[in-house]
């Protein structure tokens, strides 16, 4: 446990069990729940997709989430270093650190598009603060989205601002930065979402939304649909890049890891479904198509705000909170690389701003995909037809990097580490709960991921 915390010498930790749960739930709950879930479910036809997503969550992503926390708890270091330590504990000669490094690359790639979407939320917050949305027409709202996406310099500005905010929070020590941010932003987010859902139920077409999300529809189950559902399950929990592992390394010994996992997964699922039930009623009562893509949340929610009294205020609060949800996730995405740089002697501040700047540079790929490269499909020749650079980055991370890491976590925890060492680190009695999770992480999680890839390649 040699000191990563510089002067104090002790490895840093969150101040309490509840702080750990809130901050880690903050990592899970993010743009993926509100923006991502609704747009991916919308594009994939609703019901059947949601069912596969739930199965993927229960049998693949959530067990892997617990494994990631466990490796963090056992390794108590940045992901590459934690992997090396845990691999050594198990006398494994596999270069486990490589999985950690792949995750670190993944964090920066996620941040590169996360910053652009979150930047749009910040910008919409400003529009609302200036009194926007109230009394606007539908055309004005779709026009605002189109106008934003046509202005690369403007998108870059807001993405950079978002990353600067993220870097400031991560610069502080974890109890002052990460922990305070989560404690303020998470409860507020939940309250607002609840309010919006109730409102959507009163004004929008709730019955059609429920049918869309949970009803049975005729649909073709393609390998790609499965991949998208699993990718979304990983992304929404934030599993597979080492952010959860880094938070796991800051978790106190008093945290009951399985119980904490249940709480966090439940909260994450609740937010995604609530967001669906807040957004789809308005999609169906407006003219916007459910399959509108990444802009969905920026076209439908503002429609509520045009009609309600004090709509500009509600809009402001909503976009601020969308930005909050994004920030509690982006700080967890910046933390693993900063932890690794700290091990190399860097200050938190220098590490945070350097990695944030790198993410902003890479964000140009997403920005250009929304603007001038809208119809440019870089890897078309390789069979990725109709996919922009943004599509390739988002799907490449969600549907490839995250599941591959999840596979590695499952193998390390289920097969390489001894059963007693895993049980002791949880810590958990060898009861039904343990047996169930252990069987899932050993067999179901890795086999499901392997089958998915085989199917995606040859299917
Ligand atoms: N879980 C976050 C979301 O749903 C995104 C995220 C991905 C966070 C990977 C951490 C790590 O928006």
């Amino acid at each position: 446990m040699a000191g990563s915390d510089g002067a104090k010498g002790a490895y840093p930790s969150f101040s309490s069990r509840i702080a750990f749960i809130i901050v880690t739930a903050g990592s899970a709950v993010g743009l993926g729940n509100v923006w991502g879930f609704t747009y991916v479910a919308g594009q994939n036809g609703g019901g059947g997709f949601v069912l596969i997503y739930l199965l993927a969550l229960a049998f693949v992503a959530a067990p892997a989430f617990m494994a990631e926390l466990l490796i963090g708890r056992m390794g108590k270091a940045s992901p590459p270093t934690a992997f090396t330590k845990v691999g050594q504990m198990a006398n494994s000669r596999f270069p486990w650190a490589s999985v950690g490094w792949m995750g670190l690359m993944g964090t920066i790639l996620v941040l590169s598009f996360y910053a652009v979407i979150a930047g749009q939320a910040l910008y919409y917050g400003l529009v609302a603060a200036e009194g926007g949305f109230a009394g606007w027409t539908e055309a004005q709202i779709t026009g605002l989205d189109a106008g934003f996406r046509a202005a690369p310099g403007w998108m870059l500005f807001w993405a950079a601002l978002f990353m600067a905010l993220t870097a400031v929070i991560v610069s502080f020590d974890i109890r002052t930065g990460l922990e305070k941010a989560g404690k303020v932003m998470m409860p507020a987010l939940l309250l607002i979402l609840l309010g919006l859902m109730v409102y959507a139920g009163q004004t929008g077409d709730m019955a059609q939304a429920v049918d869309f999300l949970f009803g049975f529809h005729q649909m073709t189950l393609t390998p790609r649909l499965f991949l998208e559902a699993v990718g979304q399950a990983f992304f929404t929990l934030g599993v597979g890049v080492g952010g959860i592992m880094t938070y796991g390394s800051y978790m106190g010994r008093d945290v009951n890891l399985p119980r904490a996992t249940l709480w966090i997964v439940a909260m994450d699922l609740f937010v995604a479904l609530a967001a669906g039930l807040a957004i789809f009623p308005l999609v169906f009562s407006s003219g916007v198509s459910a399959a509108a893509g990444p802009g969905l949340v920026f076209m439908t929610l503002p429609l509520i705000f045009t009609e309600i009294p004090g709509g500009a205020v509600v809009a402001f609060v909503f976009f601020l909170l969308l930005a909050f949800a994004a920030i509690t996730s982006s700080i967890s995405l910046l933390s693993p690389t900063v932890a690794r740089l700290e091990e190399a002697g860097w200050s938190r501040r220098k590490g945070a701003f350097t990695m944030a700047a790198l993410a902003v540079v890479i964000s140009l790929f997403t920005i250009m995909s929304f603007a001038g490269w809208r119809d440019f499909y870089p890897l078309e020749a390789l069979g990725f037809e109709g996919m922009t650079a943004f599509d390739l980055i988002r799907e490449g991370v969600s549907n490839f990097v995250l599941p591959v890491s999840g596979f590695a976590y499952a193998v390390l925890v289920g097969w390489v580490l001894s059963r007693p060492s895993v049980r002791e680190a949880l810590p958990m009695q060898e009861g039904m709960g343990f047996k169930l999770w252990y069987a899932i992480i050993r067999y179901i999680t890795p086999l499901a991921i392997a089958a998915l890839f085989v199917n995606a390649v040859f299917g």
Side-chain angles (χ1 to χ4, degrees), residues 37-348:
F37 175 73
T38 49
Y39 116 61
V40 175
Q43 274 186 339
N44 287 285
F49 172 85
V50 174
L51 181 68
I52 300 168
Y53 164 76
L54 291 175
L55 291 173
L57 209 52
F59 290 104
V60 186
F65 179 93
M66 193 158 124
E68 185 172 339
L69 281 177
L70 184 80
I71 299 167
R73 169 175 260 176
M74 292 178 86
K76 281 224 178 295
S78 76
T81 312
F83 264 116
T84 302
K85 287 207 234 167
V86 174
Q88 280 165 356
M89 284 177 206
N91 285 322
S92 164
R93 279 206 298 242
F94 183 82
W96 287 104
S98 60
V99 184
W101 286 110
M102 181 174 75
L104 294 195
M105 286 191 287
T107 58
I108 303 302
L109 287 177
V110 173
L111 280 171
S112 79
F113 68 80
Y114 221 74
V116 181
I117 311 296
Q120 187 167 6
L122 290 180
Y123 168 59
Y124 274 44
L126 179 75
V127 172
E130 291 171 337
F133 301 113
W136 283 24
T137 62
E138 202 166 317
Q140 269 175 303
I141 285 178
T142 38
L144 185 68
D145 182 62
F148 185 76
R149 279 156 197 265
W154 201 216
M155 282 191 275
L156 186 66
F157 169 80
W158 287 99
L161 183 69
F162 175 78
M163 284 314 302
L165 287 173
T166 302
V168 167
I169 298 174
V170 175
S171 295
F172 290 102
D173 72 78
I174 64 161
R175 290 189 186 186
T176 320
L178 304 177
E179 196 174 309
K180 290 257 159 63
K183 281 180 174 168
V184 172
M185 296 177 192
M186 283 303 288
L189 168 89
L190 291 177
L191 277 179
I192 290 286
L193 192 61
L194 227 49
L196 282 172
M197 189 169 59
V198 170
Y199 185 84
Q202 283 164 353
T203 51
D205 195 341
M206 185 58 96
Q208 201 180 338
V210 170
D211 180 62
F212 179 73
L213 285 173
F214 306 110
F216 181 81
H217 312 279
Q218 203 74 42
M219 67 197 306
T220 357
L221 295 178
T222 58
R224 195 189 141 92
L225 185 85
F226 278 93
L227 207 56
E228 277 277 294
V230 171
Q232 176 61 23
F234 271 100
F235 189 83
T236 190
L237 290 184
V239 188
V241 288
I244 297 300
M245 189 176 298
T246 306
Y247 281 8
S249 79
Y250 303 144
M251 146 175 67
R253 274 311 294 184
D254 58 344
V255 174
N256 177 318
L257 209 160
R259 196 175 304 157
T261 301
L262 277 181
W263 271 108
I264 295 164
V265 172
M267 225 184 294
D268 188 80
L269 181 59
F270 169 79
V271 173
L273 296 180
L277 292 178
I279 292 167
F280 283 112
L282 301 154
V283 171
F284 294 124
S285 62
S286 74
V288 179
S289 152
L296 187 67
V297 81
F298 293 106
M299 288 184 270
T300 52
L301 277 179
L303 285 174
I304 326 173
F305 307 139
T306 60
E307 290 161 12
I308 55 177
V313 177
V314 183
F316 175 73
V317 176
F318 173 75
F319 285 113
L320 194 68
L321 289 168
L322 193 57
F324 281 180
I327 286 180
T328 56
S329 294
S330 65
I331 55 182
S332 81
L333 284 157
L334 202 55
S335 291
T337 46
V338 171
R340 181 64 192 86
L341 288 168
E342 269 186 295
E343 289 168 357
W346 289 37
S347 70
R348 285 186 70 82

